[in-house]
C-alpha cells in the first residue's frame, strides 16, 4: 500500500515506491509501467486457454544497494534496521527516505535517499543515495542495476495466469558510467530500453571510483567502490532514461536511452527542472481549500496521483485512463468507464489532455464498430475493458478468492461505457466550445454511439415502447435474472435514460456542425434522415420502469428478494464484496435487491434535476420532484458500496439534500486509498476514478460549476466543513479564470488575455467579465 501511494510518475511512466534494494518477495513489489504499453499472453485456467492483456511491468530501474567491506549487500531482511522513514513531497514530486542500518559486524550506516520521476523530461528518472559511515571506516561498495527479470505478479488472484511478458534482447555498458538493457514484450513486440548512469560524489564533485560491470541474462549492473573514513559520507547518483518503440521523435529506443542518460544533468539540476514543472502543474490543477487540513491534504494527494498517471506528457501518447493508475497491476491496467469520473475535472484544467484521451477512443472507433457488428448491432460499441487496440479485454472467467472457483464473467455487457464516452465528449464541447474537435473526432464517435443505441433498441408494439435488453448497468452484482439462462438485464434505467440523452446530443451535434462537415460525415457514415428521425422517436419512447414510486434499476427488479443486510453484516462484518460472499455460500447477488454501487443514482450524478426532469418528460414519464429523494433513499438502503466509485456518486447526489450524509460519503471516498478502505486493494493500484471523483466533487458539485448555453454557471452549496474554495479554471480560451468561493460570495477574476469576455451567472445574477477584470457576486 505504501508502495502504491508513494508511486512516482509523470504521465508517461510511473514506478511504485518500492525500496531501491528490494525485489518482488511477497512484501515488496517494485513495478514500472509505461502508459499504453500492453502485452497479451495465453494461460491455461480452469481447463481452458484464456488470453489476457496486461499493462506490462517493465525492467526495474530502482536497484541501488550497498555493502561495507566484508559484509552482505543490504536487502530487506539483512542487517538491523534502526530507523526508517519515508516522506512524499507532493509539491515537488520527490520521494525521500532516511534509514539507519547496523550490519552483522556492528557497523552502522545512515542512508538518505531521494527519488524523482521527471515531470520535466518524461524519459528521465533519478535516484540519489547518501551513505554516512557512522561508526566505521573502510571500503563501501555500491551496486546499481537494471533488472529485466521481472514479471507481472503484483496481484495474487492473477498469479495462475502467465505474467512473463519480457524477453531480454541486449544490454551491457555504454561508455564509462552507463549501463543499459533492452527488452521486448512477447506478443506486442514492443521494445523498451533503459539506461542508467551511476556516479559517486562527495561535496558535489565526482569521485574516482573503482567500477565493475556485471552483465547477466536480463540484468546489468555497475558495482562501484570507494573508501570512507569514520563520519564521512559519499553520495551515489543514478540517472535513468527510459524509451520504448512507441515513442515519437526517436531513432531507436536503445540508442535514445543510452544517449539521454549520458547527456542528462546531475540530480540537483534535474530536480530543479522537475520542481518547476510540478509548480506549474499545481498552479493549473490545485483545488485551493481555505483550511489546509486533512481534507486539503488528501485532495492534493489525489490530484498528485492523477497528474502522475495523466499529465501534459500524456497528450502526445496514445493512452487511455487506466482504472488503477500506473500504480499497480489490478485490472491489468485496463481502461473502463472510469474516465467518466476523471475527464470532467480535467476538462476545466488541461483540456488538451482531454482531447488526447478522447482521441484514444477515436483511434479505436474501427474496433468499436467491429465489436458492434460482431454482436449484431450497428454503430460503435466500445469495449467494457480496453487496452492496446480497443478489442474487448474483459476476462471471460474470474476467480472468486473466497470460494476458489473460476466463474463466468459477464461484465462486458456493461454497454454503458459508451455513455461515458458520449458524456465526456459533450461535456468537453460545452466547456471549451471547441467545434473543431467535434468536427474532427467528437461528432463521429457520438453519432456512431447513438447509432449503436438505436440498433440495440427493439420495438414493443403493444406498449409502443423501445426496449434495450440483455445489458448490465454499473451495478456489477446483477448480471442476469435468477430464473433466466442467458445473462443480461432488460431496460436498465441508467442505460435507457442515458441512451435517450445520447440520441438527443447526437441530434444537437448534427445541428452544431458546419454544414459542409455535416454533409461529409453524413456521406461517410451513410447517415440518412430516416435514421435520425428514428433517433428522435427513440428519445421519446425508450422504456423506463418504476416500482414503489421509485425508478426501477431494471425491469423486474421489484420481484427480487430483500437481503437480510443486518444478518450479513453481523456474520461477515465487511460486506462490500457481497457477491463473493454469496457465491461462496452457493447463492447469488442476482437474487436480491442488493447493489454493488450506484446504478439508477448515476442519473442524478450526471444530470441536474432539471435536465433529468425534461428528459423523462420527453420520454412520457413526468417526474414528480419527490421521486428523486425517494429513489436515492431506496437504493441507498440496498447498496453495499463494493466499488470506491459508489461513495463519490452518493456524496454527489446527497450534496444538496442531506449535507451530513453527503459529507460522510465524501470522507469515505477520500479515505478509499489513504486508508485502503477495501482492505488490500490499494496495494494493487490506486483507485483513480474515486480519487478524481473527490476532486470533482469539490470542483463541480459543491460549486455548482457548469458550462451551458455559452454561460459559466455557479450555484454554490459548500459543505459546512469547507470555509472556502479557490479554483483556477480554463474556459473557452481563457487560461486563468480564477474563482474564489466563500459561504456568501463568488469572486471571478479573468487573467489578462486576448480572449473575448465571458458571461458568468451566479444564482441568477449574470455578469459579463472581460480579461483583466474581476467581478464579485453575493449569494
Ligand atoms: C467497478 C467498476 C469499475 C471497475 C474499475 C469495478 O469494481 O464496479 O464500475 O469500472 O471496478 O475501476
Amino acid at each position: 500500500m505504501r508502495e502504491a501511494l508513494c508511486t512516482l510518475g509523470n504521465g508517461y511512466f510511473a514506478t511504485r515506491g518500492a525500496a531501491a534494494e528490494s525485489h518482488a518477495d511477497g512484501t515488496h513489489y517494485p513495478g514500472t509501467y509505461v502508459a499504453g504499453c500492453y502485452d497479451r499472453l495465453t494461460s491455461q485456467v480452469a481447463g481452458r486457454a484464456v488470453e489476457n492483456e496486461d499493462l506490462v511491468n517493465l525492467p526495474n530501474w530502482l536497484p541501488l544497494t550497498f555493502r561495507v567491506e566484508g559484509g552482505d549487500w543490504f536487502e530487506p531482511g539483512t542487517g538491523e534496521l534502526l530507523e526508517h522513514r519515508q516522506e512524499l513531497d507532493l509539491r515537488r514530486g520527490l520521494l525521500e527516505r532516511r534509514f539507519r542500518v547496523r550490519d552483522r559486524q556492528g557497523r552502522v550506516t545512515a542512508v538518505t535517499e531521494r527519488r524523482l520521476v521527471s515531470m520535466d523530461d518524461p524519459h528521465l528518472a533519478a535516484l540519489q543515495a547518501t551513505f554516512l559511515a557512522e561508526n566505521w571506516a573502510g571500503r563501501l561498495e555500491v551496486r546499481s542495476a537494471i533488472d529485466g527479470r521481472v514479471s507481472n505478479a503484483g496481484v495474487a488472484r492473477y498469479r495462475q495466469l502467465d505474467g512473463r511478458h519480457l524477453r531480454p534482447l541486449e544490454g551491457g555498458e555504454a561508455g564509462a558510467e552507463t549501463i543499459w538493457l533492452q527488452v521486448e514484450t512477447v506478443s506486442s513486440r514492443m521494445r523498451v530500453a533503459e539506461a542508467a548512469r551511476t556516479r559517486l560524489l562527495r561535496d558535489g564533485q565526482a569521485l574516482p571510483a573503482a567500477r565493475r560491470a556485471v552483465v547477466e541474462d536480463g540484468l546489468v549492473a555497475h558495482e562501484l567502490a570507494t573508501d570512507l573514513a569514520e563520519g564521512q559520507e559519499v553520495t551515489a547518483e543514478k540517472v535513468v532514461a527510459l524509451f520504448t518503440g512507441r515513442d515519437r521523435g526517436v531513432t531507436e529506443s536503445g540508442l535514445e536511452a543510452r544517449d539521454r542518460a549520458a547527456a542528462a544533468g546531475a540530480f540537483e539540476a534535474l530536480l530543479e527542472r522537475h520542481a518547476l514543472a510540478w509548480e506549474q502543474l499545481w498552479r493549473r490543477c490545485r483545488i485551493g481549500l481555505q483550511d489546509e487540513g486533512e481534507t486539503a491534504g488528501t485532495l492534493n494527494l489525489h490530484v498528485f496521483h492523477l497528474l502522475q498517471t495523466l499529465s501534459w506528457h500524456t497528450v502526445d501518447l496514445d493512452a487511455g485512463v487506466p482504472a488503477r493508475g500506473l500504480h499497480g497491476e489490478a485490472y491489468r491496467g485496463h481502461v473502463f468507464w472510469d474516465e467518466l469520473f476523471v475527464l470532467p475535472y480535467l476538462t476545466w484544467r488541461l483540456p488538451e489532455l482531454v482531447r488526447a484521451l478522447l482521441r484514444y477512443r477515436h483511434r479505436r472507433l474501427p474496433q468499436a464498430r467491429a465489436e458492434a457488428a460482431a454482436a449484431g448491432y450497428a454503430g460503435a460499441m466500445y469495449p467494457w475493458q480496453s487496452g492496446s487496440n480497443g478489442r474487448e479485454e474483459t476476462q471471460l472467467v474470474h476467480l472468486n478468492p473466497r470460494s476458489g472457483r473460476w466463474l463466468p464473467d459477464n461484465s462486458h455487457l456493461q454497454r454503458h461505457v459508451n455513455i461515458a464516452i458520449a458524456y465526456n465528449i459533450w461535456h468537453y464541447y460545452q466547456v471549451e466550445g471547441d467545434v473543431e474537435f467535434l468536427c474532427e473526432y467528437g461528432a463521429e464517435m457520438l453519432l456512431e454511439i447513438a447509432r449503436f443505441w438505436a440498433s440495440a433498441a427493439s420495438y414493443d408494439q403493444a406498449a409502443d415502447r423501445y426496449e434495450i435488453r440483455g445489458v448490465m448497468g454499473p451495478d456489477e452484482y446483477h448480471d442476469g435474472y435468477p430464473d433466466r439462462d442467458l445473462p443480461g438485464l432488460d431496460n436498465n434505467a441508467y442505460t435507457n435514460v442515458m441512451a435517450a440523452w445520447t440520441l438527443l446530443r447526437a441530434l444537437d451535434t448534427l445541428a452544431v456542425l458546419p454544414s459542409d462537415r455535416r454533409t461529409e460525415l453524413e456521406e461517410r457514415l451513410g447517415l440518412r434522415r430516416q435514421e435520425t428521425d428514428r433517433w428522435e422517436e427513440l428519445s421519446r419512447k425508450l422504456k423506463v420502469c418504476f416500482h414503489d414510486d421509485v425508478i426501477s434499476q431494471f425491469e423486474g427488479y421489484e420481484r427480487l428478494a430483500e437481503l437480510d443486510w443486518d444478518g450479513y453484516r453481523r456474520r461477515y462484518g465487511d460486506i462490500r464484496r457481497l457477491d463473493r460472499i454469496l457465491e461462496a455460500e452457493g447463492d447469488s447477488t442476482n437474487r436480491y435487491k442488493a447493489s454493488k454501487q450506484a446504478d439508477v443514482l448515476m442519473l442524478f450524478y450526471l444530470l441536474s434535476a432539471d435536465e433529468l426532469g425534461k428528459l423523462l418528460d420527453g420520454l412520457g414519464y413526468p417526474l414528480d420532484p419527490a421521486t428523486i429523494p425517494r429513489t436515492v433513499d431506496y437504493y441507498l438502503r440496498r447498496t453495499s458500496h463494493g466499488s470506491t466509485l459508489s461513495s463519490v456518486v452518493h456524496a454527489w447526489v446527497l450534496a444538496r439534500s442531506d449535507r451530513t450524509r453527503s459529507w460522510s460519503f465524501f470522507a469515505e471516498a477520500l479515505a478509499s486509498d489513504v486508508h485502503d478502505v477495501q482492505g488490500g486493494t490499494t496495494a494493487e493500484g490506486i483507485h483513480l476514478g474515486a480519487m478524481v471523483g473527490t476532486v470533482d466533487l469539490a470542483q463541480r458539485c459543491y460549486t455548482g460549476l457548469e458550462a451551458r448555453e455559452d454561460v459559466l454557471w455557479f450555484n454554490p452549496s459548500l459543505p459546512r466543513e469547507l470555509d472556502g474554495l479557490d479554483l483556477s479554471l480554463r474556459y473557452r480560451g481563457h487560461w486563468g479564470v480564477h474563482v474564489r468561493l466563500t459561504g456568501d460570495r463568488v469572486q471571478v477574476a479573468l487573467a489578462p488575455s486576448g480572449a473575448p469576455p465571458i458571461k458568468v451567472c451566479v444564482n441568477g445574477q449574470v455578469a459579463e467579465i472581460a480579461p483583466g477584470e474581476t467581478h464579485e457576486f453575493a449569494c
Side-chain angles (χ1 to χ4, degrees):
M1 173 186 161
R2 185 193 300 204
E3 287 177 354
L5 291 175
C6 290
T7 294
L8 293 182
N10 57 25
Y12 168 75
F13 83 101
T15 297
R16 287 165 64 87
E21 69 283 357
S22 70
H23 50 268
D25 60 6
T27 302
H28 304 82
Y29 190 77
T32 289
Y33 312 93
V34 167
C37 182
Y38 293 99
D39 187 58
R40 292 191 186 119
L41 290 175
T42 302
S43 316
Q44 290 298 320
V45 177
R48 61 203 280 191
V50 293
E51 202 179 25
N52 279 300
E53 183 167 71
D54 284 314
L55 182 71
V56 181
N57 182 17
L58 296 172
N60 182 17
W61 60 269
L62 292 175
L64 185 77
T65 188
F66 71 99
R67 71 176 167 196
V68 182
E69 199 169 347
D72 300 323
W73 287 111
F74 174 60
E75 302 186 3
T78 66
E80 187 191 347
L81 216 44
L82 304 174
E83 257 177 64
H84 188 272
R85 183 176 169 82
Q86 215 171 338
E87 243 173 71
L88 179 60
D89 176 347
L90 301 184
R91 190 183 297 274
R92 292 190 298 166
L94 192 68
L95 183 62
E96 295 192 82
R97 180 182 176 218
R98 276 189 293 278
F99 60 95
R100 290 171 64 238
V101 60
R102 179 159 46 212
D103 70 7
R104 265 199 290 222
Q105 290 86 342
R107 296 170 297 194
V108 178
T109 310
V111 183
T112 309
E113 191 189 287
R114 298 196 295 165
R115 180 190 300 183
L116 62 86
V117 170
S118 177
M119 197 48 100
D120 176 55
D121 179 338
H123 298 283
L124 289 182
L127 188 66
Q128 185 198 56
T130 299
F131 305 94
L132 168 69
E134 282 197 9
N135 62 351
W136 55 270
R139 203 155 180 77
L140 176 90
E141 278 179 88
V142 172
R143 184 180 161 104
S144 164
I146 303 173
D147 182 4
R149 297 165 175 177
V150 298
S151 64
N152 277 58
V155 176
R157 59 190 177 283
Y158 302 160
R159 281 192 201 132
Q160 293 179 41
L161 309 173
D162 192 356
R164 285 160 301 166
H165 291 286
L166 301 181
R167 275 197 199 114
L169 285 184
E170 250 188 282
E173 285 188 286
E177 297 180 314
T178 304
I179 48 171
W180 74 289
L181 180 73
Q182 188 173 50
V183 296
E184 189 175 65
T185 55
V186 170
S187 64
S188 57
R189 305 201 175 233
M190 192 129 36
R191 291 190 173 182
V192 180
E194 292 176 14
R197 186 192 73 201
T198 312
R199 286 176 183 160
L200 291 186
L201 306 152
R202 183 168 300 135
D203 303 327
Q205 300 301 313
L207 280 185
R211 188 186 289 260
R212 188 173 87 88
V214 179
V215 182
E216 294 168 8
D217 199 26
L219 181 132
V220 285
H222 256 161
E223 289 175 8
L224 294 86
T226 189
D227 291 320
L228 283 187
E230 188 172 332
Q232 204 175 28
E233 56 180 40
V234 66
T235 298
E237 188 178 284
K238 180 174 185 181
V239 173
V240 175
L242 187 162
F243 281 84
T244 82
R246 296 180 89 217
D247 296 334
R248 301 175 190 223
V250 302
T251 305
E252 186 272 323
S253 58
L255 172 81
E256 308 302 336
R258 291 190 302 268
D259 283 0
R260 189 68 62 94
F267 189 91
E268 292 302 336
L270 295 178
L271 174 58
E272 200 176 307
R273 302 289 309 167
H274 168 69
L276 174 65
W278 265 112
E279 189 187 323
Q280 295 183 347
L281 266 183
W282 279 121
R283 247 186 264 152
R284 289 201 203 177
C285 295
R286 199 166 156 258
I287 299 277
L289 293 193
Q290 235 106 85
D291 168 21
E292 290 281 324
E294 197 182 329
T295 305
T298 309
L299 285 176
N300 284 340
L301 181 78
H302 290 183
V303 173
F304 179 73
H305 283 305
L306 164 67
L307 295 174
Q308 297 202 109
T309 309
L310 303 164
S311 77
W312 44 38
H313 298 303
T314 319
V315 174
D316 203 30
L317 306 178
D318 173 37
V321 178
R324 305 300 286 275
L326 299 172
H327 296 59
E329 293 166 12
Y331 291 126
R332 305 194 170 83
H334 292 175
V335 175
F336 295 64
W337 73 316
D338 302 45
E339 63 202 49
L340 185 56
F341 298 84
V342 175
L343 266 51
Y345 162 76
L346 283 172
T347 299
W348 296 93
R349 305 289 185 146
L350 298 166
E352 60 280 16
L353 175 56
V354 172
R355 280 197 296 276
L357 294 168
L358 291 173
R359 288 198 60 197
Y360 165 86
R361 294 298 193 174
H362 186 261
R363 273 182 219 104
R364 287 152 185 80
L365 187 54
Q367 184 62 32
R369 286 191 181 111
E371 299 277 341
Y377 302 116
M381 182 175 86
Y382 279 92
W384 172 239
Q385 296 185 27
S386 178
S388 61
N389 66 355
R391 194 180 87 172
E392 178 61 80
E393 297 298 340
T394 305
Q395 56 203 349
L396 298 172
V397 285
H398 67 241
L399 179 69
N400 178 0
R402 214 173 241 283
S403 67
R405 278 190 284 269
W406 287 90
L407 308 158
D409 191 322
N410 296 312
S411 55
H412 66 275
L413 293 173
Q414 291 186 69
R415 307 295 183 214
H416 67 83
V417 59
N418 291 278
I419 291 164
I421 298 167
Y423 179 90
N424 281 334
I425 295 169
W426 190 252
H427 180 259
Y428 167 79
Y429 166 66
Q430 290 290 301
V431 177
E432 281 297 287
D434 185 350
V435 178
E436 289 299 307
F437 180 80
L438 218 47
C439 285
E440 285 186 79
Y441 309 105
E444 192 179 6
M445 286 190 277
L446 254 171
L447 296 171
E448 288 287 64
I449 290 172
R451 188 172 241 181
F452 162 73
W453 287 124
S455 77
S458 53
Y459 186 57
D460 170 2
Q461 201 152 18
D464 188 24
R465 282 278 173 193
Y466 285 91
E467 306 193 300
I468 298 178
R469 306 174 72 118
V471 300
M472 275 174 73
D475 162 27
E476 299 191 327
Y477 284 179
H478 292 98
D479 69 349
Y481 291 97
D483 51 2
R484 200 193 269 178
D485 288 339
L486 274 184
L489 303 159
D490 303 336
N491 298 312
N492 169 256
Y494 172 62
T495 304
N496 286 18
V497 173
M498 290 309 291
W501 180 91
T502 307
L503 291 162
L504 291 170
R505 296 300 79 81
L507 295 171
D508 290 346
T509 300
L510 285 170
V512 166
L513 292 178
S515 66
D516 290 11
R517 179 59 180 156
R518 173 181 171 152
T519 306
E520 282 180 9
L521 275 175
E522 284 170 345
E523 285 167 0
R524 274 179 48 191
L525 303 178
L527 191 62
R528 305 233 162 69
R529 183 64 194 268
Q530 232 178 343
E531 195 173 348
T532 53
D533 283 351
R534 186 157 172 274
W535 293 359
E536 200 276 329
E537 189 195 346
L538 271 156
S539 76
R540 289 184 285 106
K541 291 192 178 170
L542 271 160
K543 182 170 185 175
V544 181
C545 302
F546 296 81
H547 70 278
D548 299 346
D549 292 328
V550 302
I551 303 174
S552 306
Q553 189 172 311
F554 48 82
E555 186 158 13
Y557 181 91
E558 70 283 359
R559 291 195 298 272
L560 303 182
E562 290 286 2
L563 183 89
D564 173 12
W565 290 91
D566 290 340
Y568 273 91
R569 283 203 181 99
R570 252 195 324 273
R571 265 190 287 153
Y572 289 94
D574 185 349
I575 57 163
R576 271 177 240 260
R577 291 313 301 263
L578 195 61
D579 54 336
R580 291 180 177 163
I581 293 175
L582 288 177
E583 193 279 329
E585 287 183 347
D587 203 344
S588 159
T589 35
N590 274 334
R591 293 185 50 229
Y592 299 96
K593 291 180 175 134
S595 302
K596 178 180 179 188
Q597 65 203 91
D599 192 305
V600 177
L601 305 197
M602 282 301 301
L603 292 172
F604 314 137
Y605 178 70
L606 293 183
L607 306 175
S608 64
D610 193 36
E611 203 177 358
L612 181 63
K614 282 191 193 135
L615 199 56
L616 284 174
D617 230 19
L619 283 163
Y621 303 107
L623 183 70
D624 167 4
T627 305
I628 297 184
R630 216 170 22 238
T631 305
V632 171
D633 186 60
Y634 183 91
Y635 290 101
L636 196 45
R637 283 191 275 121
R638 293 169 175 81
T639 301
S640 82
H641 308 293
S643 160
T644 53
L645 298 173
S646 199
S647 350
V648 171
V649 179
H650 284 90
W652 192 293
V653 302
L654 290 167
R656 282 163 203 266
S657 58
D658 186 343
R659 290 195 194 188
T660 311
R661 280 194 101 179
S662 167
W663 185 262
S664 73
F665 277 114
F666 180 60
E668 170 88 9
L670 281 175
S672 299
D673 283 314
V674 207
H675 297 297
D676 188 19
V677 294
Q678 292 185 337
T681 60
T682 298
E684 303 168 346
I686 53 149
H687 297 80
L688 192 64
M691 278 196 166
V692 189
T694 58
V695 179
D696 202 26
L697 271 156
Q699 177 163 292
R700 284 194 305 156
C701 177
Y702 296 148
T703 60
L705 169 65
E706 261 185 288
R708 217 172 357 101
E709 296 137 11
D710 299 325
V711 177
L712 186 62
W713 304 77
F714 292 95
N715 178 14
S717 167
L718 286 185
R720 271 183 298 276
E721 291 79 356
L722 298 183
D723 298 337
L725 203 62
D726 289 337
L727 308 170
S728 284
L729 306 174
R730 297 262 296 272
Y731 174 68
R732 305 208 161 188
H734 290 272
W735 274 58
V737 180
H738 302 293
V739 184
R740 166 158 290 193
L741 283 110
T742 49
D744 57 356
R745 311 219 151 251
V746 177
Q747 192 192 70
V748 181
L750 247 59
S753 78
I758 60 170
K759 271 203 198 117
V760 179
C761 178
V762 178
N763 292 352
Q765 313 155 55
V766 184
E768 191 170 271
I769 310 177
E773 284 178 8
T774 300
H775 191 94
E776 194 163 277
F777 302 84
C779 54

